[in-house]
Amino acid sequence: MDPVTEDRAPEPLTEYAQRLTHKVRAFDRRHPLLWDLHFTGFWVTAALIDFSSGGWRHNAHQLDVPGWLLLTLSLGLSVPLLWRRTRPAAALAVMVPFALVDAWTGAALQAALLQLVLVYHLALRRPLRSLWWATALVITPVLVSAIRHGEGSWDQQIGSHLMSTAVAALIGVTVRTRRNYTAALEDRARRLETERDQQARLATAAERARIAREMHDIIGHNLSVITGLADGGRYAATKSPERAAQALDAIATTSRQALTELRRLLDVLGEDERQQADLAPQPGLTDLGRLLDGVRAAGLPVSITTHGSPTLPPGRQLTVYRVIQEALTNTLKHAGPATTADIALSYEEKAAVTVTITDTGHGSHITGTSRDGRGLPGMRERTALYGGTLEAGPRPHPERGWRVRLDLPEESPQ
């Protein structure tokens, strides 16, 4: 065991005290009246014992105080403790007249000190400005006793009672501060827990959207290519069996590629981190050639022009790849026969890149999306990750066809 951890471990007595304190507080929260009755009953019993045993005579200024008055004062200075937590100000106001009579008669009962309990609860539960009038009420009986009986110096009597009152108030303020601090920590913990749950839900939604984009890009593109190859092979089957066989070979190759990418995506979702390290990376610019070969095999002539040197990080490469893939897929679906496509890639400094995909199709792309509506939104979401812009729409008159333009700005320094 780490010696530091061992030194910091709480002692068994401390653990026991903490558990006992938690149990007492939990019981108090469940049964507040029962705890108040026990607390008040204890001090009422102590006051009655002080009265019945004659212990009050050791501090009294006058010994000829009637017994009924002593009993009344003992109860009047202790019973109001029952409302110390719910109405401490009212309880103190009830107790002060008994304290004044106690001071005037010279009985000087010890129960008068129970006013300090109410001072503590005022500091704990009420605005701190209430301590000013509470202190005045507590000190008034001391002044009455000093004026009427005159035993001891004024500064000694008043100073000791002021000190006792200040200590009781200070304890109340300290406990109140600690409770407020604990409540603030608990509130912060609840807010952090809520924020954590919200972040988890947002992350889950973002991951679902990312998976949907990847599934759309993989399945949508490859099925579009397969559909084009199948249509071409069907027309060529009667006239050129060799062309039909080539179309079937291309369909098989495209199908295997789609299955490979789909399995890779599913493996990423289902395997642990150790197994994920062995999976193939996401497609990048080096896979553009294979993508274009598949599109050409599906019957869409594609030309590509490149300016600059491609020095993009993997994330930007995937964005460029997916945008080109989606644009060519839409061309295959919507552009009609005898269509050609052209790709212009321009690489600039600091990973900036501009991609323009145009076609000469006769059909309208409508919104530039597939039937499920994920094509163009997916491209825009990928572009927004890097602060770029994406434009998709018909080419300006008199040109015909469709144009998609991707513009990724320079990569911000970390």
Side-chain angles (χ1 to χ4, degrees), residues 287-297 300 302-304 324 328 343:
D287 300 301
L288 273 180
R290 185 174 58 181
L291 172 66
L292 298 182
D293 290 340
V295 173
R296 293 186 184 112
L300 176 62
V302 182
S303 62
I304 184 170
I324 294 175
L328 295 179
I343 302 173

Side-chain angles (χ1 to χ4, degrees), residues 265-346:
L265 179 61
L266 296 177
D267 288 340
V268 169
L269 298 178
E271 301 294 335
D272 57 24
E273 295 181 358
R274 178 180 57 81
Q275 292 172 324
Q276 289 178 23
D278 299 331
L279 299 177
Q282 292 277 28
L285 296 178
T286 56
D287 300 301
L288 273 180
R290 185 174 58 181
L291 172 66
L292 298 182
D293 290 340
V295 173
R296 293 186 184 112
L300 176 62
V302 182
S303 62
I304 184 170
T305 305
T306 304
H307 299 281
S309 176
T311 57
L312 302 180
R316 292 191 170 217
Q317 290 190 35
L318 177 62
T319 299
V320 172
Y321 180 92
R322 292 304 190 195
V323 168
I324 294 175
Q325 182 185 54
E326 180 62 29
L328 295 179
T329 299
N330 288 330
T331 299
L332 283 171
K333 289 181 178 180
H334 307 290
T339 299
T340 61
D342 179 73
I343 302 173
L345 275 168
S346 177

Side-chain angles (χ1 to χ4, degrees), residues 67-406:
W68 65 269
L69 182 58
L70 290 174
L71 177 61
T72 303
L73 294 177
S74 298
L75 294 176
L77 292 172
S78 57
V79 172
L81 292 178
L82 183 62
W83 299 279
R84 73 191 191 284
R85 294 196 291 186
T86 56
R87 293 182 289 273
L92 182 61
V94 171
M95 192 179 291
V96 166
F98 292 96
L100 289 173
V101 174
D102 176 62
W104 181 263
T105 59
L109 295 177
Q110 296 293 322
L113 295 176
L114 295 177
Q115 296 175 96
L116 299 178
V117 177
L118 297 177
V119 172
Y120 163 80
H121 281 278
L122 282 170
L124 181 64
R125 306 173 189 281
R126 293 293 183 266
L128 296 181
R129 61 178 178 271
S130 62
L131 292 176
W132 294 106
W133 62 261
T135 302
L137 291 179
V138 172
I139 294 300
T140 300
V142 180
L143 293 174
V144 171
S145 178
I147 294 173
R148 179 169 174 77
H149 303 287
E151 295 183 4
S153 61
W154 282 43
D155 57 347
Q156 182 179 1
Q157 294 187 45
I158 298 176
S160 61
H161 280 78
L162 281 175
M163 182 63 68
S164 300
T165 304
V167 170
L170 182 60
I171 295 175
V173 171
T174 303
V175 175
R176 179 177 186 169
T177 302
R178 182 178 178 181
R179 288 185 179 180
N180 292 340
Y181 178 71
T182 303
L185 290 179
E186 293 176 351
D187 179 68
R188 183 172 181 268
R190 285 193 295 269
R191 287 188 284 107
L192 288 177
E193 184 177 357
T194 302
E195 183 179 355
R196 181 199 63 189
D197 294 340
Q198 291 176 347
Q199 293 294 335
R201 287 194 292 268
L202 291 175
T204 301
E207 184 64 13
R208 287 177 178 174
R210 186 189 69 82
I211 294 171
R213 289 197 305 266
E214 296 295 334
M215 294 288 287
H216 170 269
D217 292 339
I218 294 172
I219 297 176
H221 167 74
N222 288 288
L223 286 182
S224 297
V225 174
I226 290 172
T227 301
L229 290 171
D231 290 339
R234 182 181 61 186
Y235 291 122
T238 57
K239 298 180 180 180
S240 178
E242 295 180 358
R243 295 290 301 275
Q246 292 176 358
L248 292 175
D249 290 339
I251 289 174
T253 301
T254 304
S255 300
R256 283 192 291 269
Q257 178 183 352
L259 286 174
T260 300
E261 293 187 10
L262 186 59
R263 288 195 186 102
R264 181 177 63 200
L265 179 61
L266 296 177
D267 288 340
V268 169
L269 298 178
E271 301 294 335
D272 57 24
E273 295 181 358
R274 178 180 57 81
Q275 292 172 324
Q276 289 178 23
D278 299 331
L279 299 177
Q282 292 277 28
L285 296 178
T286 56
D287 300 301
L288 273 180
R290 185 174 58 181
L291 172 66
L292 298 182
D293 290 340
V295 173
R296 293 186 184 112
L300 176 62
V302 182
S303 62
I304 184 170
T305 305
T306 304
H307 299 281
S309 176
T311 57
L312 302 180
R316 292 191 170 217
Q317 290 190 35
L318 177 62
T319 299
V320 172
Y321 180 92
R322 292 304 190 195
V323 168
I324 294 175
Q325 182 185 54
E326 180 62 29
L328 295 179
T329 299
N330 288 330
T331 299
L332 283 171
K333 289 181 178 180
H334 307 290
T339 299
T340 61
D342 179 73
I343 302 173
L345 275 168
S346 177
Y347 301 105
E348 302 175 11
E349 297 180 354
K350 298 182 179 179
V353 61
T354 301
V355 185
T356 304
I357 306 102
T358 57
D359 64 56
T360 59
H362 299 279
S364 173
H365 291 223
I366 308 177
T367 60
T369 65
S370 59
R371 291 174 62 86
D372 60 7
R374 294 186 181 274
L376 185 56
M379 289 192 290
R380 294 194 187 282
E381 289 174 3
R382 292 182 184 277
T383 305
L385 292 176
Y386 300 96
T389 57
L390 182 76
E391 300 175 359
R395 300 172 66 184
H397 187 75
E399 297 177 338
R400 65 183 182 184
W402 199 263
R403 184 186 72 168
V404 176
R405 178 183 174 87
L406 168 68

Side-chain angles (χ1 to χ4, degrees), residues 6-35:
E6 186 175 3
D7 293 340
R8 293 181 179 178
E11 299 178 358
L13 182 59
T14 305
E15 292 181 352
Y16 175 78
Q18 290 176 350
R19 288 196 301 269
L20 183 61
T21 302
H22 289 314
K23 290 181 180 179
V24 171
R25 289 177 178 173
F27 179 82
D28 184 29
R29 286 192 295 269
R30 293 192 302 268
H31 310 285
L33 180 59
L34 185 60
W35 178 256

